[in-house]
Amino acid sequence: MNTSIEVEYWVIDTDGELTSPGALAETSDQTEREFVEPLFELKTPPCETVDELQRTFVEELDHVLSRARRVDKRLVPLGTPINSDEIERRPDERGRIQKEVVGENFDYAKYCAGTHIHVEKRNVTDQLNALIALDAALALVNSSPYYQGNRIASSARAYCYRKKSYEEFPKHGQLWHYVETVGEWHRRLERRYDEFKQAALEEGIDESAVEEHFSPDDVVWTPVRLREAMPTVEWRSPDAALPSQLLRLTDELRSVMEQLHHTTVEIERDSDPRNTGHVTNDGISLPEFDTACDLAEAAMHDGLDSTEVTRYLDRMGFSVDDYHPISTRIDGRQFVPKSDARDLRLEYASLLEEDVDRLVQSLEV
């Protein structure tokens, strides 16, 4: 099953200040700038095996870090920059239209760095439903509880996207209900596109501009997306995090996606929320949608401090004890000043570099 990863990392200078990636974004065809100035994205091509994915990701990231050292820049694996000066959006017509339609709350997205995991389309209905049910797995790699210094949730990034950026357009940014067919998903996308286009027209945006920069395939920012152009099913919920943790998460998520191709998948009805959802040799059972949403909310707010979340993820096949979310390590304050945020960015830039060094060494063994 082809699998790929896209990860966004903050770029800082040697003082911990956010800065532009500059030439780092031109390291290879797998690197590029994001829609805000200090954000950098690394993406792998589709890889047939986990070993191939790990080698591709680690070697590319190691190459980027080598180049970064030569220009006194570093990468930071945090879901938000914790606290910083205002972040500027790069000039972009698509972003301008989004801001006009979504409103001022769209600016919350400027402070978010995440991970997107793509899996090859197979049993697409089952894949979509399983990823919706597994959304609580975001808790395994929560990496910043702070937005502009304030403590808001174990995953401040997920909170900003779901509760703030798309507060007025919840169907464009929050978890969708399970589907019975792929056609049902496509019909939802068509409706969301029509809603977005109508809202844009009401803001005085030319219809041709909307049609040029948006399509049903890319008009939503939901945690789970069906990507026709790639073609993949994409899970967008996790924060940016240390590479070793993201590779573990991708491996375990991929295992569930692989298993559903060879077994039955059912959605439980009237089940006990405290013991719902299982991945076993006999099949995969998914919790009711409302329960899946409750678990995702707990994962976003409380992370692995939620007993219900950890027990659920264990039943769904994740080795919870092997994850060490950064949010758990840096949580505990109601407010983090900018000077402390700079220190934390420097600290986690160092931990990312050490993490990559260990991964490189493991590839050489």
Side-chain angles (χ1 to χ4, degrees):
M1 176 181 288
N2 282 331
T3 309
S4 60
I5 309 176
E6 302 172 1
V7 188
E8 300 160 345
Y9 287 128
W10 302 105
V11 183
I12 59 171
D13 60 22
T14 54
D15 295 322
E17 295 285 1
L18 296 174
T19 188
S20 169
L24 297 184
E26 301 169 2
T27 302
S28 75
D29 292 339
Q30 311 304 323
T31 57
E32 61 184 40
R33 300 184 69 174
E34 264 292 336
F35 77 106
V36 293
E37 287 295 343
L39 206 55
F40 159 91
E41 183 178 67
L42 185 152
K43 55 179 67 176
T44 71
C47 298
E48 291 186 359
T49 66
V50 171
D51 288 344
E52 180 189 358
L53 180 67
Q54 175 168 327
R55 180 173 295 278
T56 301
F57 181 59
V58 171
E59 289 179 348
E60 187 67 39
L61 187 52
D62 186 47
H63 188 197
V64 172
L65 291 175
S66 296
R67 190 167 191 175
R69 281 189 286 270
R70 294 195 294 270
V71 294
D72 294 327
K73 293 182 179 182
R74 308 178 77 183
L75 302 183
V76 181
L78 299 174
T80 75
I82 300 178
N83 195 357
S84 67
D85 293 335
E86 183 176 359
I87 292 176
E88 296 297 327
R89 185 184 295 107
R90 296 176 60 221
D92 170 70
E93 183 65 6
R94 179 180 164 90
R96 184 192 70 81
I97 294 173
Q98 286 175 285
K99 176 69 177 292
E100 289 292 321
V101 174
V102 177
E104 293 297 322
N105 272 9
F106 185 62
D107 283 343
Y108 279 91
K110 297 192 302 183
Y111 300 86
C112 298
T115 301
H116 304 163
I117 300 172
H118 293 261
V119 293
E120 178 184 349
K121 289 165 59 176
R122 288 190 178 177
N123 298 27
V124 179
T125 300
D126 286 343
Q127 287 177 314
L128 290 169
N129 290 339
L131 287 175
I132 291 167
L134 292 173
D135 199 52
L138 67 91
L140 297 167
V141 291
N142 287 350
S143 61
S144 175
Y146 304 107
Y147 168 77
Q148 289 303 82
N150 295 292
R151 202 281 177 191
I152 60 172
S154 179
S155 174
R157 169 186 169 271
Y159 183 92
C160 284
Y161 265 114
R162 302 182 190 198
K163 304 299 184 180
K164 294 297 184 179
S165 285
Y166 296 100
E167 183 178 11
E168 301 300 321
F169 290 84
K171 292 180 181 178
H172 285 74
Q174 298 181 12
L175 207 59
W176 281 5
H177 204 286
Y178 296 141
V179 291
E180 294 185 4
T181 66
V182 178
E184 181 183 353
W185 191 273
H186 285 301
R187 288 191 293 274
R188 291 180 189 176
L189 287 172
E190 292 286 351
R191 289 195 292 270
R192 300 295 83 79
Y193 177 72
D194 290 342
E195 291 166 0
F196 184 85
K197 183 160 71 171
Q198 181 59 39
L201 295 177
E202 291 172 1
E203 292 296 329
I205 298 168
D206 188 76
E207 184 174 3
S208 63
V210 179
E211 293 173 349
E212 179 183 354
H213 294 283
F214 296 89
S215 71
D217 188 42
D218 63 12
V219 76
V220 297
W221 297 268
T222 49
V224 178
R225 289 174 67 180
L226 186 59
R227 306 303 299 272
E228 293 297 334
M230 301 185 87
T232 62
V233 182
E234 178 188 20
W235 184 45
R236 303 165 55 86
S237 295
D239 288 352
L242 291 170
S244 60
Q245 296 280 276
L246 295 179
L247 287 167
R248 180 182 297 279
L249 176 61
T250 303
D251 185 12
E252 296 192 327
L253 183 77
R254 184 183 184 277
S255 293
V256 178
M257 293 293 101
E258 185 71 48
Q259 184 169 345
L260 65 81
H261 185 56
H262 303 286
T263 190
T264 58
V265 180
E266 64 174 16
I267 299 170
E268 299 178 5
R269 310 293 181 191
D270 302 319
S271 57
D272 182 350
R274 295 167 299 180
N275 192 38
T276 187
H278 297 83
V279 173
T280 68
N281 292 331
D282 297 325
I284 297 174
S285 61
L286 308 178
E288 295 178 77
F289 178 70
D290 287 347
T291 300
C293 288
D294 290 342
L295 288 163
E297 285 282 309
M300 177 178 68
H301 284 283
D302 304 320
L304 297 185
D305 286 339
S306 167
T307 302
E308 289 78 9
V309 169
T310 58
R311 288 176 177 171
Y312 171 67
L313 294 178
D314 182 68
R315 294 194 299 272
M316 298 304 286
F318 293 89
S319 53
V320 177
D321 290 343
D322 290 331
Y323 291 88
H324 309 284
I326 295 172
S327 277
T328 303
R329 308 183 208 179
I330 65 176
D331 205 349
R333 290 191 272 184
Q334 290 304 307
F335 184 80
V336 178
K338 290 179 181 177
S339 59
D340 289 359
R342 285 193 296 271
D343 290 342
L344 283 168
R345 291 196 292 267
L346 288 167
E347 177 183 350
Y348 279 90
S350 295
L351 289 175
L352 182 146
E353 292 156 7
E354 294 169 7
D355 193 55
V356 172
D357 284 344
R358 284 192 294 270
L359 289 168
V360 169
Q361 291 172 12
S362 71
L363 293 178
E364 296 171 348
V365 174

